[in-house]
Amino acid sequence: MNRRISFILRELRASGRQALVLFCCVVLAVASLALVNSFQTDVAKLLRGDARALHGGDLLIDSHYPFSAALERAVTALTTAKGARLCRLWHLNSLIRKDDRSVLCQLKVVEADYPLYGEVRLQSGRTLAAALRPGSVIVAPELLSRLNLRLGDRVRLGEADLEIADVLLGESSRPVELFRMGPPVIAAAADLAAMNLVREGSRVQYEIAVALPPGLDPEHEAEVLRTVVAGGSERVETAATARSGVKRFFDNLLFFLSLAALATLLLSGIGVHSSTTALLRERQISIAICKALGADLAFLFGHYLGLIALVAVAGCLTATLMAALAKPGFGLLFPGVLPTEHLGSLGSVAAASAAAFGFAAALLFALGPLASIAEIKPMLLLRRQTPDGAALQRTLGKALVMAPVALLVAILVIGRMEDTRTGLYFLCGMTALSAVAFAFADLFLRLAARLSPRSLTLRLALRGLSRPGNASRSVMTTLATALALLFTMFLLRHNLEGNYIASFPPDAPNVFVLNIQKDECERFQKLITIPCRLYPVIRGRLKAINGKAVVARNDGKPAMDTLAREFNLTYNDSLLPDEHIIAGKALFKHNASGQTPLQVSILDTVRDLGDMKIGDILTFSIHGLPLTAPVTSIRARDHSGPSPFFYFVLPPQYLRDAPWNAFAAIKLPPAQVAALQNLLASEMPHLSVLNLGELAAEMGRVTAKFVRLVNFFAALSIVAGILILWGSLLATRLSRLAEAVYYRVMGASKWFILRIFLVENLILGLASALVAVLIAQPAAWLVCRHGLNLSYQPFWSASLTLIALTALLVGLAVLPGRFGARLNIANSLKEQSEE
Amino acid sequence: MPKPLLRVEELNKTYLLGKQRVAVLRDISFTVGQGEFVAITGASGSGKSTLLALLGGLDQADSGRIFLGQEEISKLNEKRLAVLRNRRIGFVFQSFHLAPSLNAFENVAFPAELAGDREAAAKAERLLRRVDLWPRYGNFPSQLSGGERQRVAICRALINTPSLILADEPTGNLDSAAAALVLDLLLQIKDEYGVTLVMVTHSPEVAARAGRVIRLSDGRIAA
């Protein structure tokens, strides 16, 4: 066998445990990346494979208002002059009723050509065109069960009685079941007038799907249409650029999974770094002997790099195999995330790119420790220094090596994110998180080194934390970083659920009724007989702040909110019960004669969107008419939650006569919600009744499905933390063994020695989890209170559980070491003396 | 002959080297009296350190008996051996074997603390002052010279006032000046504390200062 290879294999055999940790780190990083890559490919195939089927057209035009005459003319010209086909759709939420029961459904009213692309799968196997005739309706299976219906039964939608013609099994435009307001229902456009659901001010999304004949460029035709659209309210997209809800959701999910996989990769990288350090520490004497015998740095560096590369290749191959075996189980592990038929095998591209990326990262992270080979001097043999000596600590050249390595890692990560800014944000975020974790860890270890408790076990355990080469800081930093990430996600998820899903404040409304027309408010209030407040809603857009036009961001990035969207304005002369003024003296200013001039009060959250302040002049467009008003007060809400709120409030006299409709927020005992829903479905069928409790449960169901997937990938970063801990235990194996021997010679029992190491690890785990909680709590609070404007619950019991569980797991990690057990003291002493 | 403290009878020890069993000690028998200083000498591989390990209860003999006072060491279980090592025997090694994460004071105090001695701190201070190392009590082993480390090890061996000190080449890693200092200190302390000293050594000079020399050759007592 080649001498070089035999050298590498001999060194590999001699440092088996450390090489195993290194191998596991590579496996973890590559398997995690490969699975995310593969899932990304599945989603891309599902969504981008046939974008036209997903969106239902080459061009998609939509608006919350009936389309402008100019746009209608342009679209008609497209059909007459260029042979395009059109299909109009109306999307709205409505109550569907049968006798005395009703359910809110997600209604899609379609013209006969629907769908222009893709398919609608019906239980009967017929096409939609064959099944959906005027006077009929297609419903989702759950609607049949919830209203106890059968095919052929008649249901009431708005003011029309329609026959259930078929059962909807699936649609190309809805490949995955995400959150929805109710079961999907498809009705024919011919019945739109009879249903009488589309009225002035009703919340309807109007859509035109266009199928272009071959040869026409969708982007060009979209540009032509964009020249005639009504500013802001009408949107024209092509199938390639449209962001459907499903696409948007998966973009966000994949972005998040990529972040989790990258976090795992970086933490595994630290694992590679620490295990390589441990491996070289173990081989220190061997390296010193080689140097004494004339081996130069290039020889040693090359051979140990070869060793790392060999382990990394084995890790990449194993990870690929494991990921390939695990991928078919995705459907079982994460049911409902993607339709089973869309969950493909691992895929060669996904596997190869993950392996290449993981291999490169492993070599880069190993370079730092490998550079320390230069610091190991043959003198070490003469000084009879123990392997945990200072040789590896002197790392003058390390900084010079680490700087370009860090740069290369950053380039790899940014390249992986495919977006420089997001990649930099991620790296900065991870660096900041790690820096905070390191600062806490350092502070804790400094404090621990000063402590001198009475208990001997505790004292020795604390001393052990600063054992030479113990890497306690690295272990605490990485473990705390991983736990902080995971725990922040846990807190955010449970706070979101707490705010929107699981519970409502006792006095918060649990039913919203939408689309109450201006002239039917009185009838509505008489009908429901429950005292409730009606909130007038006037739709409008903010056009300018101090004369500077408000423009939509056009960088393709998702934004939490934008000032360029349409807002619901209202008028009022007093604050809502859960509001208070944070700037200005009162909701509105009055002049000397007691009159209220035109002015606007804004909510603090919208103020932050546009950096607005008291005295700024806002220009609105309300139904096409300009309205200019100064900001005279800024409001804040006492709590976040499902109670109504408005970003912009104006004095009543300036908006009362504008076209408006109202919504009602009602607090009802849950048992009475169905009765109210049925009453409204019967008497005022065009109204939309939202049962917030039911919607919250639906959101919880959908969230749970995807949270499991996210948690899976995020949990891999914890495994990386454990690998680092394992690496650290191995790195200090000889020191611990030596300590165990000294203690035994002095008369300590096996249990006493085990107790020291157990307590030492318990402290390490306890401190890491404590640091994680100290980081996660304020981070989650910041996101909830200032990012999402939600009330915040710290979930202290979960925090304590995390701390206890981590301490226990990390504490028990020492058990396989069996320090003190089966120890031949005489032999160990002899070996240590000889080293 | 002073009252016997250590009695060794027919001691045998073999090691497995590969597939071959090698006899390290063969039929070793001797007695050491209280307060005596006995040097064990012999060539490398003659079994000196093995014998010392057996005397200290750090290893098990294949056959034979070792008595410390009236107690038969070779019959003690692990737990009782640990107590014996803690209370009745002090060890001084060539490579010092101090715990690197404990400072000089903590290293010295450790055996007494393990024994539950409330005076551990005071005793450790007294011993460190005795060997002129009190100013360096907070230093870790890596911050001490070889001679200083060995003095700390001697203090550690003495803290529980054992009846027997087993020293394995205590001057082997030291320069001649430090070696002389350590040897003088050991002998002074032996006299001060009335302790028995059994020392393995290669050095004829050191052996010359012993009351008696046991020379090992091929695992047997040669003289």
Side-chain angles (χ1 to χ4, degrees), chain B:
Chain B
M1 173 85 179
K3 193 178 164 189
L5 175 78
L6 185 69
R7 201 168 80 245
V8 177
E9 296 175 357
E10 308 275 318
L11 206 59
N12 284 286
K13 176 74 181 173
T14 55
Y15 283 124
L16 206 58
L17 277 180
K19 288 180 180 173
Q20 202 180 351
R21 192 161 281 282
V22 178
V24 183
L25 295 175
R26 302 177 206 202
D27 297 326
I28 301 288
S29 298
F30 63 90
T31 304
V32 179
Q34 265 177 5
E36 231 188 321
F37 171 19
V38 174
I40 301 174
T41 64
S44 287
S46 59
K48 305 182 297 289
S49 295
T50 304
L51 176 61
L52 203 75
L54 295 176
L55 298 181
L58 302 176
D59 204 353
Q60 295 280 329
D62 294 343
S63 63
R65 301 198 295 175
I66 303 169
F67 292 89
L68 182 64
Q70 297 305 310
E71 202 156 20
E72 187 180 345
I73 295 177
S74 35
K75 277 193 173 170
L76 295 180
N77 62 19
E78 262 304 315
K79 197 173 174 184
R80 294 191 61 192
L81 267 177
V83 174
L84 178 98
R85 283 198 298 266
N86 181 246
R87 310 281 166 87
R88 299 189 60 191
I89 305 175
F91 291 92
V92 181
F93 299 101
Q94 179 181 6
S95 300
F96 325 120
H97 294 317
L98 298 172
S101 55
L102 304 184
N103 62 30
F105 175 80
E106 290 168 329
N107 261 297
V108 174
F110 174 71
E113 288 185 297
L114 203 60
D117 187 346
R118 292 183 178 190
E119 300 294 313
K123 284 181 180 175
E125 182 181 341
R126 209 158 42 238
L127 282 164
L128 283 169
R129 284 189 192 282
R130 167 69 185 80
V131 299
D132 298 326
L133 275 180
W134 181 242
R136 313 206 60 182
Y137 77 93
N139 287 48
F140 288 90
S142 58
Q143 299 164 325
L144 298 171
S145 69
E148 288 169 332
R149 285 186 216 181
Q150 200 59 296
R151 281 189 276 161
V152 171
I154 291 169
C155 293
R156 183 180 66 179
L158 281 169
I159 192 155
N160 282 341
T161 50
S163 47
L164 174 66
I165 287 186
L166 298 173
D168 186 7
E169 300 254 26
T171 57
N173 265 0
L174 305 176
D175 59 56
S176 55
L181 197 75
V182 163
L183 187 63
D184 287 346
L185 181 67
L186 267 172
L187 294 179
Q188 283 167 25
I189 278 171
K190 179 189 90 67
D191 293 338
E192 271 173 46
Y193 288 79
V195 68
T196 304
L197 178 61
V198 176
M199 184 188 294
V200 165
T201 181
H202 268 114
S203 160
E205 291 82 14
V206 174
R209 296 182 68 176
R212 189 150 57 99
V213 176
I214 297 175
R215 200 164 73 81
L216 291 182
S217 176
D218 292 333
R220 295 179 193 277
I221 294 178

Side-chain angles (χ1 to χ4, degrees), chain A residues 30-367:
Chain A
V30 174
S32 153
L33 277 177
L35 285 172
V36 169
N37 282 353
S38 174
F39 185 65
Q40 208 160 13
T41 311
D42 292 343
V43 172
K45 273 186 193 158
L46 174 74
L47 300 185
R48 288 162 209 147
D50 192 354
R52 295 192 305 186
L54 179 70
H55 298 288
D58 294 302
L59 298 180
L60 296 312
I61 308 159
D62 78 286
S63 173
H64 286 294
Y65 297 96
F67 293 112
S68 62
L71 184 63
E72 288 283 5
R73 277 197 299 278
V75 171
T76 309
L78 205 56
T79 56
T80 52
K82 296 185 176 174
R85 290 184 300 131
L86 300 185
C87 177
R88 288 171 191 273
L89 299 96
W90 292 259
H91 302 270
L92 58 157
N93 297 306
S94 176
L95 289 169
I96 187 163
R97 188 163 63 95
K98 171 68 179 168
D99 303 328
D100 57 347
R101 282 164 296 143
S102 59
V103 166
L104 183 76
C105 68
Q106 207 164 299
L107 176 63
K108 180 152 62 179
V109 183
V110 300
E111 287 186 332
D113 280 351
Y114 180 81
L116 295 175
Y117 294 111
E119 59 164 359
V120 174
R121 285 185 296 116
L122 302 179
Q123 196 177 51
S124 65
R126 293 179 292 172
T127 62
L128 183 71
L132 186 64
R133 300 285 178 194
S136 69
V137 71
I138 310 291
V139 302
E142 64 262 39
L143 193 76
L144 295 181
S145 56
R146 284 174 69 176
L147 290 180
N148 198 18
L149 296 167
R150 284 177 303 181
L151 281 178
D153 281 352
R154 297 192 77 80
V155 288
R156 196 164 178 81
L157 252 175
E159 294 172 11
D161 276 319
L162 305 169
E163 182 189 331
I164 299 175
D166 217 322
V167 178
L168 177 65
L169 297 182
E171 282 187 84
S172 307
S173 62
R174 219 192 311 253
V176 182
E177 283 309 335
L178 301 179
F179 174 74
R180 58 191 189 193
M181 303 291 268
V185 170
I186 302 178
D191 296 318
L192 193 63
M195 288 188 273
N196 195 20
L197 289 170
V198 179
R199 302 179 180 193
E200 190 176 337
S202 296
R203 295 189 69 83
V204 179
Q205 190 194 352
Y206 299 80
E207 185 185 337
I208 300 174
V210 182
L212 294 173
L216 286 187
D217 175 20
E219 195 47 55
H220 171 74
E221 300 305 329
E223 274 307 313
V224 172
L225 291 177
R226 282 183 195 125
T227 58
V228 297
V229 296
S233 62
E234 293 170 340
R235 286 179 299 272
V236 181
E237 297 289 347
T238 66
T241 59
R243 282 172 57 82
S244 72
V246 176
K247 194 174 166 189
R248 206 161 34 236
F249 175 83
F250 275 109
D251 280 349
N252 290 335
L253 180 70
L254 286 171
F255 174 73
F256 204 77
L257 293 184
S258 286
L259 290 187
L262 275 176
T264 304
L265 176 91
L266 291 182
L267 292 173
S268 299
I270 297 172
V272 167
H273 182 279
S274 62
S275 53
T276 309
T277 305
L279 187 148
L280 291 173
R281 182 172 286 132
E282 185 98 352
R283 306 308 304 147
Q284 205 171 198
I285 299 295
S286 168
I287 292 168
I289 291 170
C290 287
K291 282 193 173 181
L293 296 176
D296 62 5
L297 182 62
F299 173 89
L300 288 166
F301 189 88
H303 279 77
Y304 280 97
L305 186 66
L307 188 154
I308 304 292
L310 189 66
V311 175
V313 166
C316 289
L317 292 175
T318 310
T320 307
L321 185 69
M322 283 170 67
L325 290 173
K327 186 66 198 305
F330 244 54
L332 290 173
L333 277 172
F334 311 110
V337 166
L338 275 189
T340 321
E341 65 270 22
H342 288 285
L343 281 169
S345 57
L346 185 67
S348 53
V349 175
S353 69
F357 198 78
F359 180 75
L363 290 192
L364 283 175
F365 276 99
L367 281 179

Side-chain angles (χ1 to χ4, degrees), chain A residues 20 35 88 127 152 196 356 489 581 598 702 814:
Chain A
L20 184 63
L35 285 172
R88 288 171 191 273
T127 62
N196 195 20
M489 285 193 297
I581 296 288
L598 179 57
V702 173
V814 81

